[in-house]
Tab-separated table of all heavy atoms in Angstrom:
chain	number	residue	atom	x	y	z
A	216	THR	N	8.080	-11.568	26.154
A	216	THR	CA	8.434	-12.585	25.146
A	216	THR	C	9.916	-12.422	24.733
A	216	THR	O	10.606	-11.586	25.338
A	216	THR	CB	7.564	-12.445	23.871
A	216	THR	OG1	7.721	-13.592	23.069
A	216	THR	CG2	7.802	-11.171	23.074
A	220	TRP	N	11.976	-17.425	21.742
A	220	TRP	CA	10.656	-18.083	21.889
A	220	TRP	C	9.867	-17.952	20.539
A	220	TRP	O	9.361	-18.963	20.014
A	220	TRP	CB	9.852	-17.547	23.045
A	220	TRP	CG	8.603	-18.395	23.329
A	220	TRP	CD1	8.559	-19.289	24.287
A	220	TRP	CD2	7.363	-18.333	22.685
A	220	TRP	NE1	7.322	-20.002	24.281
A	220	TRP	CE2	6.516	-19.348	23.264
A	220	TRP	CE3	6.828	-17.652	21.585
A	220	TRP	CZ2	5.216	-19.646	22.930
A	220	TRP	CZ3	5.500	-17.904	21.255
A	220	TRP	CH2	4.741	-18.930	21.858
A	224	ARG	N	9.053	-21.222	18.274
A	224	ARG	CA	7.651	-21.689	18.299
A	224	ARG	C	6.909	-21.307	17.069
A	224	ARG	O	5.821	-21.958	16.767
A	224	ARG	CB	6.880	-21.114	19.539
A	224	ARG	CG	7.466	-21.421	20.840
A	224	ARG	CD	7.759	-22.821	21.135
A	224	ARG	NE	6.591	-23.699	21.124
A	224	ARG	CZ	6.649	-25.050	21.000
A	224	ARG	NH1	7.816	-25.635	20.906
A	224	ARG	NH2	5.601	-25.776	20.999
A	300	CYS	N	-8.313	-15.738	7.235
A	300	CYS	CA	-7.023	-16.183	6.615
A	300	CYS	C	-7.186	-16.984	5.387
A	300	CYS	O	-6.326	-17.065	4.572
A	300	CYS	CB	-6.119	-16.906	7.571
A	300	CYS	SG	-5.685	-15.973	9.075
A	339	ARG	N	0.527	-11.416	24.556
A	339	ARG	CA	1.765	-11.940	23.902
A	339	ARG	C	1.456	-13.173	23.017
A	339	ARG	O	2.291	-13.537	22.121
A	339	ARG	CB	2.896	-12.263	24.858
A	339	ARG	CG	2.451	-13.440	25.836
A	339	ARG	CD	3.622	-13.711	26.739
A	339	ARG	NE	3.251	-14.895	27.588
A	339	ARG	CZ	4.131	-15.479	28.365
A	339	ARG	NH1	5.414	-15.027	28.507
A	339	ARG	NH2	3.724	-16.558	29.052
A	402	GLY	N	-4.578	-20.666	20.620
A	402	GLY	CA	-3.532	-21.076	19.610
A	402	GLY	C	-3.321	-22.543	19.490
A	402	GLY	O	-3.267	-23.152	18.383
A	403	LYS	N	-3.184	-23.244	20.604
A	403	LYS	CA	-2.832	-24.655	20.539
A	403	LYS	C	-3.909	-25.472	19.798
A	403	LYS	O	-3.593	-26.333	18.971
A	403	LYS	CB	-2.680	-25.217	21.921
A	403	LYS	CG	-1.463	-26.061	22.193
A	403	LYS	CD	-1.356	-26.542	23.629
A	403	LYS	CE	-0.062	-27.252	23.861
A	403	LYS	NZ	1.096	-26.611	23.298
A	437	HIS	N	-0.808	-20.618	3.356
A	437	HIS	CA	-0.997	-19.578	4.302
A	437	HIS	C	0.131	-19.628	5.286
A	437	HIS	O	0.496	-20.786	5.746
A	437	HIS	CB	-2.385	-19.794	5.028
A	437	HIS	CG	-2.560	-18.877	6.148
A	437	HIS	ND1	-2.364	-17.468	5.996
A	437	HIS	CD2	-3.000	-19.049	7.441
A	437	HIS	CE1	-2.624	-16.927	7.167
A	437	HIS	NE2	-3.005	-17.896	8.046
A	439	ALA	N	1.067	-19.184	8.695
A	439	ALA	CA	0.610	-18.941	10.165
A	439	ALA	C	1.735	-19.377	11.100
A	439	ALA	O	1.961	-18.672	12.156
A	439	ALA	CB	-0.657	-19.799	10.401
A	440	ASN	N	2.407	-20.500	10.849
A	440	ASN	CA	3.386	-20.924	11.782
A	440	ASN	C	4.326	-21.908	11.046
A	440	ASN	O	3.776	-22.829	10.358
A	440	ASN	CB	2.678	-21.644	12.952
A	440	ASN	CG	3.650	-22.009	14.024
A	440	ASN	OD1	4.774	-22.467	13.804
A	440	ASN	ND2	3.186	-21.852	15.316
A	442	ARG	N	5.946	-24.334	12.096
A	442	ARG	CA	5.720	-25.660	12.544
A	442	ARG	C	4.527	-26.289	11.956
A	442	ARG	O	4.415	-27.503	11.776
A	442	ARG	CB	5.630	-25.689	14.101
A	442	ARG	CG	6.959	-25.414	14.783
A	442	ARG	CD	6.933	-25.633	16.308
A	442	ARG	NE	5.942	-24.714	16.948
A	442	ARG	CZ	4.994	-25.086	17.720
A	442	ARG	NH1	4.828	-26.351	18.020
A	442	ARG	NH2	4.166	-24.178	18.272
A	443	ILE	N	3.485	-25.451	11.653
A	443	ILE	CA	2.314	-26.049	10.914
A	443	ILE	C	2.785	-26.520	9.516
A	443	ILE	O	2.362	-27.658	9.104
A	443	ILE	CB	1.203	-24.941	10.754
A	443	ILE	CG1	0.616	-24.605	12.126
A	443	ILE	CG2	0.083	-25.478	9.777
A	443	ILE	CD1	-0.429	-23.552	12.111
A	467	ASN	N	2.028	-13.774	9.924
A	467	ASN	CA	0.741	-14.101	9.409
A	467	ASN	C	-0.003	-12.815	8.981
A	467	ASN	O	-0.350	-11.994	9.812
A	467	ASN	CB	-0.030	-14.779	10.575
A	467	ASN	CG	-1.450	-15.308	10.122
A	467	ASN	OD1	-1.915	-14.922	9.065
A	467	ASN	ND2	-2.026	-16.206	10.892
B	850	UT7	O1	-4.131	-17.788	10.694
B	850	UT7	C1	-5.081	-18.536	11.433
B	850	UT7	C2	-4.475	-19.763	11.909
B	850	UT7	N1	-3.609	-19.469	13.104
B	850	UT7	C3	-2.809	-20.415	13.537
B	850	UT7	O2	-2.686	-21.348	12.826
B	850	UT7	C4	-2.082	-20.265	14.831
B	850	UT7	C5	-1.874	-21.611	15.398
B	850	UT7	N2	-1.266	-21.616	16.723
B	850	UT7	C6	0.076	-21.411	16.884
B	850	UT7	O3	0.779	-21.024	15.969
B	850	UT7	C7	0.690	-21.703	18.214
B	850	UT7	O4	-0.272	-22.366	18.989
B	850	UT7	C8	1.166	-20.463	18.970
B	850	UT7	C9	2.432	-19.863	18.289
B	850	UT7	C10	0.093	-19.445	18.963
B	850	UT7	C11	1.539	-20.825	20.405
B	850	UT7	O5	2.557	-21.796	20.458
B	850	UT7	P1	2.368	-23.083	21.349
B	850	UT7	O6	3.562	-23.856	21.194
B	850	UT7	O7	1.041	-23.728	21.029
B	850	UT7	O8	2.390	-22.457	22.804
B	850	UT7	P2	1.268	-22.474	23.935
B	850	UT7	O9	0.117	-21.644	23.604
B	850	UT7	O10	1.034	-23.972	24.267
B	850	UT7	O11	2.061	-21.851	25.148
B	850	UT7	C12	3.197	-22.503	25.696
B	850	UT7	C13	3.718	-21.515	26.729
B	850	UT7	C14	2.782	-20.988	27.725
B	850	UT7	O12	3.313	-20.876	29.003
B	850	UT7	P3	3.096	-22.034	30.090
B	850	UT7	O13	1.632	-22.150	30.352
B	850	UT7	O14	3.667	-23.259	29.498
B	850	UT7	O15	3.841	-21.472	31.252
B	850	UT7	C15	2.440	-19.631	27.213
B	850	UT7	O16	2.008	-18.767	28.200
B	850	UT7	O17	4.321	-20.282	26.066
B	850	UT7	C16	3.738	-19.258	26.678
B	850	UT7	N3	3.708	-18.146	25.594
B	850	UT7	C17	4.743	-17.389	25.377
B	850	UT7	N4	5.942	-17.238	25.876
B	850	UT7	C18	6.722	-16.346	25.361
B	850	UT7	C19	2.627	-17.887	24.821
B	850	UT7	N5	2.985	-16.874	23.976
B	850	UT7	C20	4.288	-16.530	24.320
B	850	UT7	C21	5.181	-15.586	23.794
B	850	UT7	N6	6.402	-15.477	24.358
B	850	UT7	N7	4.840	-14.701	22.767
Side-chain angles (χ1 to χ4, degrees):
T216 190
W220 192 95
R224 303 311 294 165
C300 299
R339 67 177 183 172
K403 226 178 188 44
H437 172 48
N440 187 320
R442 289 188 298 128
I443 293 178
N467 183 343

